Amino acid sequence: MTAGRRTTRALLLALLWLAVGLLAGAAEIRPTRDYLSPELRRAQDDPSRHPGWLWVEEGETLWQDGERSCQSCHGEIGTMSGVAARYPAVAGDGALLNLEGRIDRCRTQHQGQPAFGYESEPLLALTAAVALRSRGMPVNVVTEGPAAPFLEEGRRFYETRQGQLNLACGQCHDDKAGQHLRGDVISNGIGTGYPAYRLDWNTLGSLHRRLRACSLGVRAEQLPLGSAEYLALELFLASRAKGQPIEAPGLRR
């Protein structure tokens, strides 16, 4: 075999192993519930033991509230089945919206009311109530077309080392998934359970609140809730979670 052929063969083998590695990495993405303790998993599945159901019930009430209610346009909240699995998504005007952003936009544009605002109790409640209607359904976000630039922006954020600890998201949620960190088990970080009730928060919170906590953890800048960077990252995380079941409202340690 000539030197040129050996080089070509080595290159092809390297590409093959790279492809296998990428496929293996994709196959390693697991539902976040797999990383929960058995006790937390049981509580997440039991509305009578899940504190997040208080927000769900409030959201179901808000759905019907007012003359120009959500229900007056969409009908019963059951019509929201599958909606959460498709967000974040690009709106007609080119803006990337997550489920919270879509709800607040409906409120300002169609109900003529001021926005609830990120992390407000009413928005968390409505988001939890809507997301519940997709529980168990596979994530199926669109990543092509207008969403593609946002996806790449989110990928860059995920892969970039940040903060004083000089860590990228994947160094925890890919390389260390399944290992313990301060008594917790590191998951793949796919965000399918948000909004989630976290025991260390003692309340329900959004994915962006969790992302801010991650930024703080690596000693990086905490970006505003609803920032373009976190929205793009949320889309990338959802793309990693394609096919994984929605768990919202989740229960986390």
Side-chain angles (χ1 to χ4, degrees), residues 68-122:
R68 300 183 69 181
S69 65
C70 305
Q71 185 164 298
S72 66
C73 283
H74 297 286
E76 296 291 335
I77 196 169
T79 61
M80 294 292 101
S81 176
V83 169
R86 302 195 293 268
Y87 276 84
V90 179
D93 63 357
L96 181 65
L97 299 176
N98 60 5
L99 187 56
E100 292 96 322
R102 176 73 268 176
I103 291 171
D104 249 355
R105 181 174 283 203
C106 279
R107 181 168 168 81
T108 57
Q109 292 187 353
H110 302 301
Q111 294 179 311
Q113 299 292 326
F116 287 127
Y118 265 92
E119 225 58 31
S120 65
E121 292 292 306

Side-chain angles (χ1 to χ4, degrees), residues 131-150:
L132 175 64
R133 271 63 201 182
S134 298
R135 213 175 202 220
M137 297 182 181
V139 175
N140 189 29
V141 291
V142 174
T143 55
E144 300 82 22
F150 295 109

Side-chain angles (χ1 to χ4, degrees), residues 24-25 32 37-39 44 46 49 62 76 103 106 119 122 130 153 162 170 189 193 196 211 232 249:
T32 304
S37 68
E39 176 64 23
Q44 178 173 270
D46 184 352
R49 300 174 60 197
L62 287 171
E76 296 291 335
I103 291 171
C106 279
E119 225 58 31
V130 171
E153 185 181 339
Q162 300 183 44
L211 296 179

Side-chain angles (χ1 to χ4, degrees), residues 36-44 49 251:
L36 300 179
S37 68
E39 176 64 23
L40 270 183
R41 199 177 305 145
R42 286 192 293 269
Q44 178 173 270
R49 300 174 60 197
L251 185 60

Side-chain angles (χ1 to χ4, degrees), residues 32-38 40-41 172-173 176-189 194 196-201 210 213-214 251-253:
T32 304
R33 64 177 288 111
D34 287 4
Y35 296 99
L36 300 179
S37 68
L40 270 183
R41 199 177 305 145
C172 281
H173 295 293
K176 305 296 184 184
Q179 298 186 27
H180 285 79
L181 176 66
R182 293 195 296 272
D184 206 356
V185 179
I186 301 173
S187 72
N188 291 126
Y194 286 85
Y197 188 98
R198 294 190 65 90
L199 301 182
D200 60 343
W201 294 343
R210 186 69 189 94
C214 282
L251 185 60
R252 302 290 182 259
R253 185 174 179 275

Side-chain angles (χ1 to χ4, degrees), residues 14-35:
L15 291 173
L16 175 62
W17 281 113
L18 176 61
V20 170
L22 289 173
L23 287 172
E28 289 170 3
I29 302 294
R30 294 162 52 194
T32 304
R33 64 177 288 111
D34 287 4
Y35 296 99

